[in-house]
């Protein structure tokens, strides 16, 4: 469904957004390639594996739909406005960040794709302008609770003492997401990310500088009439940058890239189509290989997600200190009535906890935030296992 929606936006927006696409590769071909990349890219399919991330899938679909219907209103007229309202409301009731995602996507699409002729046709006189204004007021009224929630979130996070460290940490994570968009390997359901806790974290400052440079690049592309490139760059980055607005302890999980992925895949399709050295046959061969590789990576991720054991094993291979993976194994053992497995794993768990605490003491600029929660939850599972194995006195101690 997301891929088909992607095709629709391409048909409505690209013909007026660019004239620099190679003639041998039609806009329909680019649209199809972008939709196909989106359908098989591991990051776009990761959201379906993570059950509690299904709301992010809905946010991605409806907010992308808000951009599509915005283009339809601009090109086809007011009869598409009810569908636009439905997509915005769908995003709103999917998750808290749904409304800002949908409104930002719609606003940027209107800014980039809207021509003077479109606006004159849509708003021919003052009465129409008043009607549009009243319609927007109705939409905002329907979303009042969401707007009030976000205002409170922003104010609360600005008062959070960790906010500065959060911005620097998210700057590092932003580029980790981007890297996996281009090369979707070493994916993980639960990345272990250390918080930046010092202005001396040079990598974090370079990452933040890179984000600022990207924003400047988007502006330069706009003024040089490369609006499509500017548009796709902005739309890919915005959903990721929204996480800067609120302090979160869950620093990097890959399903959060989902709202960005349609725009990224469109950008990749445009880049592939612009490679001048490629003849049509070579282009088809190269894109076929790319699709097959991405499909193979998707199948591999599906195999990793097939059970708690395979998933936690994958996490721990990449992040031996990710104690949350041990806790997931403990929960699975309790459900399966295997308390002895928890007790057998406890020495290794203690060793990893000690290593995490040592990292926090020795690292000059970063730290793992969740060690207290890990320690308490690990002790709870151990106590339950001791009770189940007939050692209640030891459990109390």
């Amino acid at each position: 469904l997301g891929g088909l929606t992607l095709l629709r936006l391409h048909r409505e927006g690209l013909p007026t957004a660019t004239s620099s696409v190679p003639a041998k590769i039609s806009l329909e071909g680019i649209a199809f390639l972008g939709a196909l990349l989106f359908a098989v890219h591991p990051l776009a399919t990761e959201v379906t594996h993570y059950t509690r991330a299904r709301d992010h899938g809905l946010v991605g679909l409806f907010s992308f739909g808000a951009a599509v219907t915005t283009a339809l209103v601009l090109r086809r007229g007011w009869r598409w406005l009810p569908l636009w309202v439905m997509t915005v409301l769908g995003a709103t009731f999917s998750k808290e960040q749904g409304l800002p995602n949908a409104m930002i996507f719609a606003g940027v699409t209107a800014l980039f794709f809207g021509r003077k002729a479109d606006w004159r046709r849509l708003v021919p006189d003052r009465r129409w302008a008043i009607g549009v204004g009243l319609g927007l007021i109705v939409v905002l009224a329907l979303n009042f609770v969401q707007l009030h929630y976000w205002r409170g979130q922003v104010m609360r996070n600005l008062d959070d003492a960790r906010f500065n460290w959060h911005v620097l940490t998210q700057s590092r994570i932003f580029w980790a997401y981007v890297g996996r968009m281009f090369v979707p390997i070493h994916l993980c359901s639960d990345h272990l990310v250390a918080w930046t806790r010092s202005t001396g974290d040079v990598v974090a400052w370079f990452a933040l500088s890179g984000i600022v440079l990207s924003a400047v690049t988007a502006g330069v592309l706009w003024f040089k009439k490369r609006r499509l490139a500017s548009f796709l760059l902005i739309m890919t980055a915005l959903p990721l940058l929204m996480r800067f607005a609120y302090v979160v302890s869950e620093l990097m999980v890959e399903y959060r890239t989902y709202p960005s992925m349609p725009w990224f895949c469109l950008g990749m399709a445009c880049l592939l189509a612009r490679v001048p050295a490629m003849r049509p046959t070579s282009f088809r061969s190269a894109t076929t290989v790319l699709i097959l590789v991405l499909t193979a990576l998707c199948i591999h991720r599906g195999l990793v997600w097939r059970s708690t054991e395979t998933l936690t094993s994958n996490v721990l291979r990449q992040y031996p200190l990710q104690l949350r993976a041990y806790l997931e194994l403990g929960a699975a053992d309790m459900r399966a009535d295997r308390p002895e497995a928890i007790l057998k794993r406890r020495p290794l768990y203690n060793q990893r906890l000690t290593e995490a605490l040592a990292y926090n003491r020795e690292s000059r600029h970063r730290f793992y935030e969740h060690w207290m929660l890990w320690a308490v939850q690990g002790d709870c599972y151990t106590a339950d296992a001791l009770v189940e194995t007939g050692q209640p006195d030891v459990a109390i101690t």
Side-chain angles (χ1 to χ4, degrees), residues 82-242:
L83 185 57
W84 179 85
V85 173
M86 289 174 61
T87 58
V88 173
L89 291 177
T92 298
F93 294 112
S94 297
K95 194 174 175 62
E96 290 86 351
Q97 65 262 41
L99 174 62
N101 260 293
M103 296 304 291
I104 289 172
F105 280 8
V108 175
T109 301
L111 176 65
F112 277 77
F113 287 168
R115 300 168 300 187
K116 289 182 179 180
D118 295 324
W119 294 113
R120 289 196 188 102
R121 186 179 66 254
L122 290 173
V123 190
D125 54 40
R126 187 176 300 175
R127 288 174 299 175
W128 279 93
I130 293 173
V132 172
L134 290 175
L136 290 175
I137 290 172
V138 170
V139 171
L140 292 175
L142 289 171
N143 291 284
F144 174 76
V145 174
Q146 280 278 8
L147 293 171
H148 181 70
Y149 167 83
W150 277 102
R151 177 183 175 278
Q153 281 288 95
V154 171
M155 296 304 296
R156 182 162 50 252
N157 283 293
L158 288 175
D159 290 335
D160 193 322
R162 302 177 300 165
F163 187 76
N164 292 336
W165 306 140
H166 163 76
V167 170
L168 288 173
T169 305
Q170 287 294 335
S171 297
R172 292 165 32 220
I173 294 167
F174 176 89
W175 293 109
Y177 281 139
V178 171
R180 283 168 175 80
M181 288 179 179
F182 282 101
V183 186
I185 59 174
H186 301 305
L187 303 186
C188 187
S189 63
D190 192 15
H191 290 276
L192 181 62
V193 178
W195 276 72
T196 288
R197 65 174 180 181
S198 164
T199 55
D201 191 340
V202 176
V203 173
W205 283 107
F206 269 111
L208 183 58
S209 301
I211 293 172
V212 174
L213 181 60
S214 298
V216 173
T217 301
V220 170
L221 290 171
W222 165 270
F223 285 110
K224 288 191 173 183
K225 306 301 182 183
R226 302 289 296 276
R227 292 193 174 184
L228 178 63
S230 179
F231 173 76
L232 293 175
L233 178 60
I234 290 172
M235 295 292 260
T236 300
L238 279 176
L240 299 177
L241 294 175
M242 284 179 62

Side-chain angles (χ1 to χ4, degrees), residues 67 102 105 127 158 244 296 300-301 326 330 352 366 386 391:
F105 280 8
R127 288 174 299 175
L158 288 175
F244 282 66
H300 175 261
R301 283 302 292 168
Y326 292 107
R352 297 306 188 198
R366 300 178 187 176
L386 288 168
Q391 306 176 68

Side-chain angles (χ1 to χ4, degrees), residues 275-296:
V275 176
M278 279 191 176
R279 296 177 180 177
T281 302
S282 301
F283 173 80
R284 286 193 292 269
S285 300
T287 52
T288 299
V289 170
L290 177 61
I291 295 299
L292 290 175
V293 169
L294 292 177
T295 302

